Amino acid sequence: MLDTDIKTWLLPIEPLEGESLSHFLGRVRRRNYLSTSALGELAGIRGVVTRWEKFRHNPFPSDQELTALGNLLGLELSQLKAMLPSEPMKLEPIRLCGACYGESPFHRIEWQYKSRWKCDRHDLKLLCKCPNCGAKFKIPSLWDFGKCDRCGLGFCEMKNTRN
Ligand SMILES: [Zn+2]
Ligand SMILES: [Zn+2]
């Protein structure tokens, strides 16, 4: 008998080390041509995925919700938990280090930590808006092109200033 469980039909996406859940969810959805509501529906956690993509973690994602998503995506609970903040974070502005993005194009959860204002790896101040046109960055789940939404400057071309 064929295994016709629709949940196994999603194309798997591996989380990257340090990647934020919002960015990861955006990759999963684009790869599978799903809207946020469709992904939530499939996982049986309606509405929740949309909130997570905006870093609205209040109430904090429960093990039950994460397990439901993990079952759909073929991921362990621990893999999903690793993409959640481990210290207090700020929802906005969305921040980034252009040098880090140039090395590997994804949004790091640590960029949103309240305590962080610079990238320790590059010793550069985190950007909280486009240095060219001043536009704010969109939520990471919408970073499909990796560039400023308004002027088109690539994130990896954005030079952070030193301190
Ligand atoms: Zn960096
Ligand atoms: Zn711009």
Side-chain angles (χ1 to χ4, degrees):
M1 203 174 108
L2 280 174
D3 179 10
T4 52
D5 187 358
I6 194 161
K7 291 179 180 183
T8 61
W9 292 1
L10 282 195
L11 296 167
I13 301 281
E14 279 294 309
L16 300 161
E17 192 173 350
E19 185 175 17
S20 66
L21 185 60
S22 173
H23 190 270
F24 173 74
L25 290 171
R27 290 201 297 130
V28 168
R29 290 198 298 96
R30 283 191 296 278
R31 186 88 171 81
N32 288 284
Y33 304 98
L34 293 171
S35 65
T36 44
S37 52
L39 181 58
E41 289 283 339
L42 283 176
I45 45 171
R46 236 170 121 196
V48 172
V49 172
T50 316
R51 286 213 316 273
W52 292 351
E53 286 195 12
K54 293 175 183 158
F55 292 123
R56 295 191 192 281
H57 294 152
N58 196 8
F60 203 71
S62 69
D63 284 4
Q64 206 181 358
E65 290 165 334
L66 292 168
T67 302
L69 183 66
N71 288 342
L72 179 66
L73 304 177
L75 295 175
E76 301 291 328
L77 179 60
S78 59
Q79 289 178 286
L80 288 164
K81 280 190 159 175
M83 291 185 278
L84 292 170
S86 56
E87 43 177 283
M89 70 179 287
K90 283 167 73 162
L91 268 68
E92 50 186 21
I94 297 297
R95 303 192 287 195
L96 70 88
C97 168
C100 280
Y101 196 87
E103 287 169 13
S104 194
F106 65 92
H107 176 264
R108 278 72 161 168
I109 186 64
E110 60 174 34
W111 290 341
Q112 297 309 126
Y113 290 167
K114 270 184 187 157
S115 62
R116 301 293 165 93
W117 56 273
K118 68 175 181 106
C119 168
D120 292 337
R121 199 174 143 74
H122 297 104
D123 199 27
L124 295 168
K125 202 174 162 185
L126 291 176
L127 294 165
C128 51
K129 60 184 181 201
C130 173
N132 185 46
C133 76
K136 281 187 183 177
F137 302 124
K138 293 207 285 190
I139 56 170
S141 65
L142 302 176
W143 286 12
D144 36 354
F145 303 112
K147 58 185 188 179
C148 172
D149 207 34
R150 191 195 284 168
C151 74
L153 184 67
F155 291 162
C156 56
E157 298 168 80
M158 293 181 181
K159 300 281 180 275
N160 324 34
T161 51
R162 211 167 274 273
N163 300 328

